Amino acid sequence: MMFRLCALATLFLGNLSNLLGYGAAGHEAIGRIATQYLAGTRAESEVAKLLYPNEDLARAATWADRAKLDEKYLSAEMKTFVTDNPGHHGYHYCDVPFQETAYRAGLVGTNDHDLIHSIQTCIAVLQNPADDRENPLKINHRTALMLLAHFVGDLHQPLHVGCSYISTDGKFVNPNEGGQGQADAGANDLRRTTRTSLHGYWDTATVKLARDRAGTEDFTAFLLAQHPPQTDWSTVGSVSDWPVTWATETLGLARQCYDGIELGPPFVVPKDDKRDEHFEWKVTLLAGYDVRSRDIVEVQLVKAGWRLAELLKAIWPDSPVK
């Protein structure tokens, strides 16, 4: 876990875009899509009560990443959140081996403050009528909404859920089955170029490919027209269990992230003030990878927005649940 946090810190200093989940454009699209599906509901009005007049869900969806900026750029509420949650960078992901078929608490790469647990805390806070900070993240309703708007997007980015563990002989192994290897920090240690990683590719390059396909058309409208909601997007059971279901689904997509790359030999990255000495690997994307990845991300952006709306409507139903 410390490897992952240090890797994120290093990447933040070198290339901010690699840290931003789906990047501002992707998260904003998710927020706008959710807004479309909230129209006319009680949840829409409850969300509006928690947002400032100059905010919408698109802006809210980037709050958790903006809270990673240097302190001088943080709002007062961001500073409170960061002070109360010094490990908040770790709330954006889990590192489940991509070979696993389901997310289960206790697996290597999970912990009680990973992405899934953080979403569950946000849900519980918003379900509590009392707007207090007696919860694991010490957050109120407004901060819970801001985090949820972002984290649901992160949960639909495959490399925020799954990662690889690479043995000394360059093989992908599963530590839950006894394999020994270095975690790739959600593919941050798989380098496409000196400054960009496979993780960054899935965060931002795939969204750019989708935006390029949309051309001059409004990006949100393009996504909604191309990818209407599917019946298998719905989730049953208690809303607190929905993040686990979604994580399991996204884990399956993480396997596809690693299918279609060529792993080069490892090279040593020396110890610095951010991280211990470790290996990284140059990767090559094989033919067809760009188109396949773009198509996956287009669906995931719409699905994340639709599910965020469904989750908020479940938290604030139009009619009281009996």
Side-chain angles (χ1 to χ4, degrees):
M1 182 59 68
M2 185 57 66
F3 276 178
R4 179 66 177 270
L5 293 174
C6 292
L8 287 172
T10 301
L11 285 167
F12 179 78
L13 294 172
N15 185 353
L16 179 63
S17 66
N18 280 359
L19 259 182
L20 299 183
Y22 268 127
H27 280 290
E28 287 172 356
I30 290 168
R32 292 191 181 100
I33 289 165
T35 298
Q36 294 284 324
Y37 289 116
L38 287 174
T41 66
R42 174 193 169 200
E44 179 185 40
S45 63
E46 295 293 342
V47 166
K49 292 175 186 176
L50 295 175
L51 297 178
Y52 296 147
N54 62 336
E55 290 177 331
D56 56 15
L57 271 180
R59 180 65 172 166
T62 65
W63 189 95
D65 275 339
R66 287 184 282 116
K68 297 175 182 175
L69 297 173
D70 188 85
E71 183 180 5
K72 65 183 178 181
Y73 299 114
L74 303 185
S75 65
E77 67 180 350
M78 286 177 178
K79 290 179 181 178
T80 297
F81 171 70
V82 170
T83 299
D84 289 339
N85 296 273
H88 67 99
H89 285 241
Y91 301 168
H92 293 245
Y93 62 85
C94 55
D95 282 329
V96 179
F98 71 81
Q99 298 94 334
E100 293 292 337
T101 57
Y103 173 93
R104 297 189 305 277
L107 289 175
V108 171
T110 70
N111 57 69
D112 60 6
H113 55 265
D114 65 16
L115 175 59
I116 286 72
H117 287 83
S118 298
I119 291 175
Q120 290 172 327
T121 296
C122 292
I123 292 170
V125 170
L126 290 172
Q127 288 178 318
N128 181 5
D131 191 11
D132 59 45
R133 285 155 48 89
E134 294 298 320
N135 54 76
L137 303 186
K138 302 178 183 177
I139 54 176
N140 60 15
H141 285 172
R142 175 176 156 78
T143 302
L145 173 65
M146 305 299 251
L147 294 177
L148 192 64
H150 182 85
F151 289 162
V152 170
D154 280 350
L155 185 52
H156 287 78
Q157 203 278 51
L159 293 177
H160 276 254
V161 176
C163 82
S164 76
Y165 292 76
I166 305 173
S167 65
T168 54
D169 59 351
K171 299 292 193 328
F172 292 131
V173 297
N174 184 350
N176 290 305
E177 297 179 352
Q180 299 294 317
Q182 178 189 302
D184 71 7
N188 275 307
D189 288 344
L190 304 186
R191 313 301 300 177
R192 294 186 63 232
T193 69
T194 302
R195 291 180 58 83
T196 61
S197 66
L198 186 65
H199 185 102
Y201 169 89
W202 279 86
D203 275 353
T204 56
T206 51
V207 177
K208 183 180 185 303
L209 289 169
R211 287 168 63 87
D212 289 345
R213 192 163 89 92
T216 59
E217 186 176 350
D218 176 82
F219 187 44
T220 303
F222 167 80
L223 291 172
L224 288 168
Q226 292 291 319
H227 306 287
Q230 303 298 303
T231 55
D232 62 356
W233 293 6
S234 297
T235 314
V236 298
S238 169
V239 292
S240 63
D241 294 330
W242 290 8
V244 174
T245 300
W246 299 344
T248 292
E249 177 188 273
T250 303
L251 190 57
L253 295 176
R255 289 191 285 278
Q256 296 187 40
C257 295
Y258 292 95
D259 181 18
I261 66 170
E262 186 176 272
L263 195 65
F267 56 92
V268 176
V269 178
K271 178 180 179 179
D272 59 19
D273 60 344
K274 300 294 189 301
R275 189 173 177 186
D276 290 337
E277 180 179 277
H278 63 281
F279 288 117
E280 295 189 0
W281 294 260
K282 177 71 184 298
V283 296
T284 302
L285 307 185
L286 303 183
Y289 194 91
D290 279 344
V291 172
R292 177 164 57 88
S293 303
R294 179 205 65 196
D295 291 349
I296 288 172
V297 165
E298 282 186 9
V299 174
Q300 289 301 98
L301 291 175
V302 181
K303 188 188 296 182
W306 187 85
R307 283 178 168 169
L308 174 58
E310 292 300 294
L311 182 53
L312 293 172
K313 287 188 285 188
I315 292 170
W316 293 302
D318 286 334
S319 300
V321 178
K322 296 183 180 179

